[in-house]
Structure formats: structure tokens, C-alpha cells
Amino acid sequence: MIMSAARAVAQAHGYNGLSFRELAKEVGVKSASIHYYYPTKGDLGAALARRYSEDLKKLLNGYLTEFRDPVVCLRKYTDVFRRALENRNCMCLCGFMAAEYDDLPDAMKVEIKAFADLNVAWLALILSPLVPSAKAKVIGRRALAIYAAVGGAQLAARSRADIHVYDEIIGSYRTAGLIPDRRSPRAAGKSRGLLLA
Amino acid sequence: MIMSAARAVAQAHGYNGLSFRELAKEVGVKSASIHYYYPTKGDLGAALARRYSEDLKKLLNGYLTEFRDPVVCLRKYTDVFRRALENRNCMCLCGFMAAEYDDLPDAMKVEIKAFADLNVAWLALILSPLVPSAKAKVIGRRALAIYAAVGGAQLAARSRADIHVYDEIIGSYRTAGLIPDRRSPRAAGKSRGLLLA
DNA sequence: ACCTGAACACCGTTCAAGT
DNA sequence: ACCTGAACACCGTTCAAGT
């Protein structure tokens, strides 16, 4: 109960906007009792970030097996971050915490880095058959760039409180070529069966 | 004195991390006195965001007259956001506030939107001779996308506490084609003198 | 015009005390 | 094992009172 209540608040108001006293009221207990389960606010934050990562991992791995087309997977990926905005203009929990990063306890910093790594690793997997260069380094950099850019799109759209801004930005990423939206002509020309490998 | 002290704290710890009492201590006055100049914290935040916008506007307009090559201007632009990270891993003030957006007073929301508009307008001006399409709508969308992506790069790099991550991401934006790093072959082919118009 | 001390309701945290 | 009341040092805000 604590976790789910805390998660909703944190996605809407950030880690700083999370209050033990309010949380306790929602759960129907006194604030001192929250400390029984999570000794400090940092412990709660780290647990929040960890579960958030786990949930995303399951979701993304599901996409991986469900949709064999990497372009579709990329579309599902940008839809994940879109859904947060749909839901009361919320942000990705770990993206939010990244802004507050410098003031966070170490346990949380670890989780937030792990979240970013998870995203980048998954994107790299998806990108490998799509990007002309087969070099792992180039693909990894592109994966990192897409992760950063999607987070930026969420941030920009949030500050306009308009989900269409998100769609516009993501669409522009695809037009500009940052996010592949069809199999690369070069890659396709070289070997059309690459995706099935 | 209040403004400059507050600005340094806000870029490092965000609006939430800003304390009237600490601020007062730095300025050498009691916290109640800060309220004399800025009745509420929101008033201080709005003033902070406004001055931040003004400073950036001057800087960007300076680039506009100093460097006639738009590609150089774009490089100067990404350098502006790089400098925040160089300086104690700080973030763009308004980017930071964008994360906290939903909890901010209206006066601040107005300023943060104005900051985004300023960036997008300047970028659109720079992009117009670089992007193949001459359509204002396409250029405006690309400008918005670059603004969002640069903010995302800053956020991602901050949470790694590593400025090289910023450089990697921005470099990848250029490689992928999101940020033009040379005159578009198509545009150049059409009319080479476009930049001087 | 500018500053202050004191009070208010908030916050995370601690801890002795309860069941 | 789980919960609580009370205390602590923080926070923004208000306001009567000072100069």
C-alpha cells in the first residue's frame, strides 16, 4: 500500500513532493510507522525506483517477444513515455529523479543509473538491425541519444501541459532520422534478412 | 544579492531546494526580510526565471550577429547547455523548473513557457537556411525537437554526473541528423546564397 | 523604506513507550 | 512484529513591532 501510494505521488510531484505524513494519511497510519518499513525517505525512494525499473523491464521484454519488427518496438517504446503524460501529466519516475539527482542519497543514484542502463541496453538491442553501422559503439551511442531525447520530449511536453507537444517532438525525431521509423535503406539494401538473424 | 545567491542555489538544487532561511544567511539578513522583496517563494522563482531568460536572450542574439554561419551558432547553442554541467553539474534553471512544473505557481509557469518559446524561436531562425524544407511549420517542429533533445541530454548527463555523456549524446544527435552540422546537401544544391539573404 | 522576533502549520527523523 | 505520541530541527509565511 505504501509503495503504490508513494509511486503515484512521486510521478506527479517528484521525490521532493513526497511527504511521509501525507503518505501515512493515505495508508491510514501515522507517519512514524512508515519509517518502520522504510527507515529514511531515501530508502523509500530507492525501492520506488527499483520497482519502477523492474516493471519497465518486464514490459519491454514483452514487446521484444511480441513484436518481431524493431520499428514497431520503437513505437511501443515512445508510447510508454507518452502514457505517463496521458495520466495526469505525470513523468517517468526516474526521469523526474534525474533532475533532483545531486540531492539524492546514494542508494537512489544507483537505481536511477540502473534505470538508464536498462533503457539504453534495450534500445541498443532494438537498433542493431536498423542502424547502418554495425559497430556496437555507434549503436550504443545512438541508444543513449534516443533515451535522452525521449526524456527531453517528456519534460518539454510536461511544461506545456500538452501531450500533442510530445507527439510533435517525437514525430520530428523520426523525420530528422534520430529514431528510425523504417528499415534503413542502406541496411535493407545490404542484407534484407538481417532482422531474422 | 538575493537574486544572484538564489540563482546559484536554484541551478544546483532546483526550486524546491531553495530555502529562504539559507538564502537569508548568505545575504546576511533574516528570512523575513527576503519576503519584503519577494512576498512569496513563487515571486522569487518567477523573477529568477525571467532574468534567466533575459540573459539567455542577450547571449543568443549576440551569437546571431557575431557568427553568420548557422552551423556555428548551433554549436554555440549546445555549448551554452554544456557550460551549466561544467559548473558543478548544474542544470538549465528553466529546464529544472520544467520537471517541477505541476507544483509551481502560475507566475512561474508563465516564465518557463516564455523561456521555451525564446529557445524555439531562436532555433527556428537559425534552422531556416539549413533545413531542406522551407515550410515554417516543419522548421518550428524541428526547433522544438532540438530544444527538447538538448534538455534531455543535459538531464541524462546530469544523472550520470559525467559531462562526456552530454558530448556523446549531442554528437549522436548530429550524426543522426537531428542537429544539422553542415549545410544540407539538398538545400546547398538548391541555392547556395540562401544564408546571406 | 527596510528589517526583525515570534508564531503558525508544515517537513523528515528519532525514540521511548505501547500492544 | 507493528504502531504511536512527543520531541527535534528544518521549512514558507504572516504580522505586529521596531528603526
Side-chain angles (χ1 to χ4, degrees):
Chain A
M1 284 175 70
I2 294 172
M3 281 287 274
S4 63
R7 180 174 178 159
V9 176
Q11 276 194 254
H13 308 288
Y15 174 73
N16 275 324
L18 195 59
S19 151
F20 268 45
R21 280 177 165 86
E22 271 193 25
L23 207 54
K25 218 172 284 175
E26 276 187 54
V27 178
V29 83
K30 296 299 171 184
S31 86
S33 303
I34 307 283
H35 288 275
Y36 177 76
Y37 298 94
Y38 304 98
T40 72
K41 197 178 172 184
D43 293 320
L44 174 57
L48 236 38
R50 176 180 284 272
R51 175 166 307 181
Y52 196 77
S53 278
E54 283 167 4
D55 289 350
L56 183 72
K57 191 177 206 169
K58 280 178 208 155
L59 190 66
L60 293 184
N61 279 341
Y63 292 159
L64 219 53
T65 59
E66 192 177 351
F67 310 103
R68 67 197 188 295
D69 184 346
V71 168
V72 173
C73 282
L74 284 174
R75 210 161 274 277
K76 290 288 167 189
Y77 182 79
T78 55
D79 280 350
V80 171
F81 288 80
R82 188 184 199 277
R83 273 198 294 277
L85 292 169
E86 282 172 25
N87 181 27
R88 296 171 301 126
N89 200 27
C90 282
M91 273 196 57
C92 161
L93 184 62
C94 293
F96 212 142
M97 290 174 174
E100 302 167 316
Y101 191 79
D102 275 14
D103 294 323
L104 300 179
D106 288 343
M108 287 184 66
K109 292 186 180 182
V110 171
E111 296 301 334
I112 290 162
K113 273 186 193 142
F115 179 82
D117 291 341
L118 161 68
N119 279 265
V120 172
W122 188 85
L123 283 168
L125 208 62
I126 294 294
L127 287 174
S128 53
L130 289 174
V131 175
S133 164
K135 279 185 192 141
K137 196 176 174 185
V138 174
I139 290 172
R141 284 164 63 113
R142 174 69 76 90
L144 177 61
I146 291 177
Y147 171 66
V150 170
Q154 206 180 36
L155 195 64
R158 177 176 163 83
S159 72
R160 307 288 186 105
D162 182 0
I163 196 160
H164 298 104
V165 170
Y166 180 80
D167 295 332
E168 252 193 53
I169 296 172
I170 297 292
S172 203
Y173 289 163
R174 291 206 161 87
T175 306
L178 177 66
I179 302 178
D181 68 340
R182 59 182 184 286
R183 300 186 194 190
S184 155
R186 258 186 292 173
K190 275 187 205 159
S191 64
R192 287 199 172 268
L194 200 58
L195 290 179
L196 303 174
Chain B
M1 282 177 70
I2 294 173
M3 280 287 273
S4 62
R7 180 174 177 157
V9 176
Q11 276 195 254
H13 307 289
Y15 174 73
N16 275 324
L18 195 59
S19 151
F20 269 46
R21 279 176 166 87
E22 271 192 26
L23 208 53
K25 219 173 284 177
E26 277 187 55
V27 177
V29 83
K30 297 298 170 184
S31 84
S33 303
I34 307 284
H35 287 276
Y36 177 76
Y37 297 95
Y38 304 99
T40 72
K41 196 177 171 183
D43 293 321
L44 174 58
L48 236 39
R50 176 182 285 271
R51 174 165 309 182
Y52 196 78
S53 277
E54 282 167 4
D55 289 350
L56 183 73
K57 192 177 205 168
K58 280 178 209 156
L59 190 67
L60 293 184
N61 280 341
Y63 292 158
L64 220 51
T65 59
E66 191 177 352
F67 310 102
R68 67 198 189 296
D69 184 347
V71 169
V72 172
C73 281
L74 283 174
R75 210 161 275 277
K76 290 287 167 189
Y77 182 79
T78 55
D79 280 349
V80 171
F81 288 80
R82 188 184 197 279
R83 274 200 294 277
L85 292 169
E86 280 172 26
N87 180 27
R88 296 171 302 126
N89 200 28
C90 282
M91 274 194 57
C92 159
L93 184 63
C94 293
F96 213 142
M97 290 173 173
E100 303 166 315
Y101 191 78
D102 275 15
D103 294 323
L104 300 180
D106 289 343
M108 288 184 66
K109 292 185 180 181
V110 171
E111 295 301 334
I112 289 163
K113 272 185 193 144
F115 179 82
D117 290 341
L118 161 68
N119 279 265
V120 173
W122 188 85
L123 282 168
L125 208 62
I126 294 294
L127 286 173
S128 53
L130 289 174
V131 175
S133 164
K135 279 184 193 142
K137 195 176 175 186
V138 174
I139 290 173
R141 284 165 62 114
R142 175 69 75 91
L144 177 62
I146 291 177
Y147 170 67
V150 170
Q154 206 181 36
L155 195 64
R158 177 175 163 84
S159 72
R160 307 289 185 105
D162 181 1
I163 196 161
H164 298 104
V165 170
Y166 180 80
D167 294 332
E168 252 192 54
I169 296 171
I170 297 292
S172 203
Y173 288 164
R174 291 205 161 86
T175 306
L178 178 66
I179 302 178
D181 68 341
R182 58 183 184 285
R183 300 185 193 191
S184 154
R186 260 185 292 173
K190 276 186 203 159
S191 64
R192 286 198 172 269
L194 201 57
L195 290 179
L196 303 173

